[in-house]
Amino acid sequence: PFDMLIIGSGPAGASAAIYAARKGLRTGLAGDRFGGQIMDTEGIENFISVTETSGPKLSAALEAHVHQYDVEVISSQRAKELFPAAHPGGMNGVALESGAILHARTVIIATGAHWRHLGVPGEEEYRNKGVAYCPHCDGPFYKGLPVAVAGGGNSGVEAAIDLAGIVSHVTLLQRGSGLKADKVLQDKLRSLPNVTILTEALTTRIEGNGTKVTGLTYRGGDGADHHIDVAGVFVQIGLLPNTDWLRGTVKLNDFGEIIVDSHGATSLPGVFAAGDATTTPFKQIVIAIGDGAKAALSAFDYLIRVPVS
Ligand code: FAD
């Protein structure tokens, strides 16, 4: 059995594993894909102290750092069920899809999240070549250029406001008849001179020249197809936490995020969580890495206090 078992080997999980191993704990790190979402990322310019890197490079560096320590890495494995300890200090179980069950006194859940896709032609082809999901990450790449934001909820409208300060023009497309965002955000958006809001505008295709995005087509309320020229399309129709496998065990909020306190503790004693899978605001690499460290230190605190049984 492990002292600390981390599920998910993205930035949060890798960081938790390093912090755990540095405490001399028997540490396991089980995940299906080392690096997590950063493996889908091209340019990274906001990993503080590293001016510029790429997802695969950063992922390889994380992996090499984890391998510096005595961490049992269980790769290409997905967790399918959590069996919480019957009492504080007891053993937790995690069932893997392979059928194996891992036991650990503390568990850190770092299974991350994924962006909901539009599912239209061009979206996959031009991912990282104009199709983006994170305005904090990729906004500056579009300085002075026209972009579109697909999605009229809070995250879409926040993204449009954010981007309007950087790019030349933002077109926000909402497929329904009205924006769903909070009124204060809508008011702010409408006050901006370089924003066009299109409602009943269903994005149907993202177009490009083979190397990058040049525009998009949407079906308007009139039933006709319309084209706009843009250099980027920010898809903001939801970030979905990878927490389905936890339903009925650890407490989740209405979005499916694991509810954590300021120490990364969940509703279950001995079970901690970190990164994009949790209620921690702002889904970013530096935040996930900090969160993983915090959850591991909190789990260590728990281990030195709880009676061993
Ligand atoms: P994740 O990176 O999602 O890792 C979770 C891991 O757990 C994954 O490997 C996942 O497959 C695995 N997993 C899921 N379910 C299970 C299961 N049941 N069992 C086992 N393993 C499981 N952030 C920045 O700061 N800067 C950027 O430039 C940037 N660009 C981005 C570009 C793109 C295209 C995307 C998608 C995201 C970007 N982000 C960026 C966000 C950043 O990647 C995330 O905030 C960060 O990766 C979150 O780390 P995490 O460890 O919490 O989760």
Side-chain angles (χ1 to χ4, degrees):
F2 296 106
D3 295 318
M4 208 178 286
L5 172 64
I6 298 131
I7 307 296
S9 44
S15 166
I18 291 167
Y19 268 74
R22 287 173 58 82
K23 294 291 185 195
L25 301 175
R26 277 165 298 162
T27 306
L29 175 61
D32 62 351
R33 187 168 71 137
F34 214 103
Q37 290 170 71
I38 60 174
M39 284 305 282
D40 300 327
T41 307
E42 201 95 325
I44 299 172
E45 297 187 349
N46 60 358
F47 186 57
I48 305 308
S49 87
V50 179
T51 331
E52 207 184 332
T53 186
S54 73
K57 257 199 221 161
L58 181 56
S59 177
L62 282 177
E63 197 164 3
H65 200 170
V66 167
H67 285 301
Q68 288 289 306
Y69 292 94
D70 192 10
V71 174
E72 188 171 330
V73 178
I74 303 155
S75 24
S76 307
Q77 292 288 340
R78 289 184 67 80
K80 67 168 185 192
E81 201 172 346
L82 171 70
F83 302 106
H87 50 84
M91 280 291 168
N92 300 280
V94 174
L96 302 181
E97 281 177 0
S98 67
I101 298 190
L102 305 174
H103 297 278
R105 215 164 280 288
T106 59
V107 174
I108 296 180
I109 304 164
T111 45
H114 58 281
W115 290 97
R116 182 179 279 144
H117 288 191
L118 286 170
V120 300
E123 184 177 21
E124 277 310 305
E125 186 183 348
Y126 290 108
R127 186 153 51 93
N128 293 323
K129 296 173 185 157
V131 175
Y133 296 87
C134 173
H136 315 301
C137 312
D138 294 353
F141 297 144
Y142 299 91
K143 192 168 184 226
L145 299 170
V147 303
V149 173
N154 277 345
S155 57
V157 172
E158 280 169 11
I161 295 168
D162 174 356
L163 292 164
I166 302 171
V167 306
S168 62
H169 188 269
V170 180
T171 306
L172 181 113
L173 299 102
Q174 155 72 352
R175 70 177 177 172
S177 56
L179 299 182
K180 301 265 185 294
D182 298 342
K183 182 164 180 311
V184 16
L185 290 174
Q186 294 193 34
D187 291 347
K188 173 74 189 178
L189 185 69
R190 291 200 170 92
S191 75
L192 300 174
N194 60 339
V195 174
T196 304
I197 301 169
L198 300 173
T199 53
E200 293 193 60
L202 178 69
T203 306
T204 53
R205 173 180 293 277
I206 296 171
E207 283 121 15
N209 60 9
T211 52
K212 58 183 180 23
V213 165
T214 54
L216 67 75
T217 298
Y218 67 91
R219 176 134 340 117
D222 55 3
D225 283 345
H226 303 267
H227 175 87
I228 52 173
D229 288 333
V230 287
V233 180
F234 284 79
V235 180
Q236 294 289 303
I237 54 173
L239 181 66
L240 309 173
N242 301 322
T243 55
D244 283 351
W245 64 286
L246 295 164
R247 288 197 189 276
T249 54
V250 68
K251 216 181 242 171
L252 309 177
N253 71 5
D254 291 345
F255 302 106
E257 295 169 331
I258 303 164
I259 299 173
V260 286
D261 68 10
S262 60
H263 289 243
T266 70
S267 58
L268 299 171
V271 179
F272 299 79
D276 281 17
T278 72
T279 47
T280 299
F282 308 117
K283 313 306 191 196
Q284 294 283 282
I285 300 163
V286 283
I287 292 174
I289 283 183
D291 232 29
K294 193 167 51 169
L297 293 175
S298 299
F300 178 69
D301 264 4
Y302 168 90
L303 282 170
I304 59 178
R305 281 179 173 78
V306 82
V308 176
S309 54

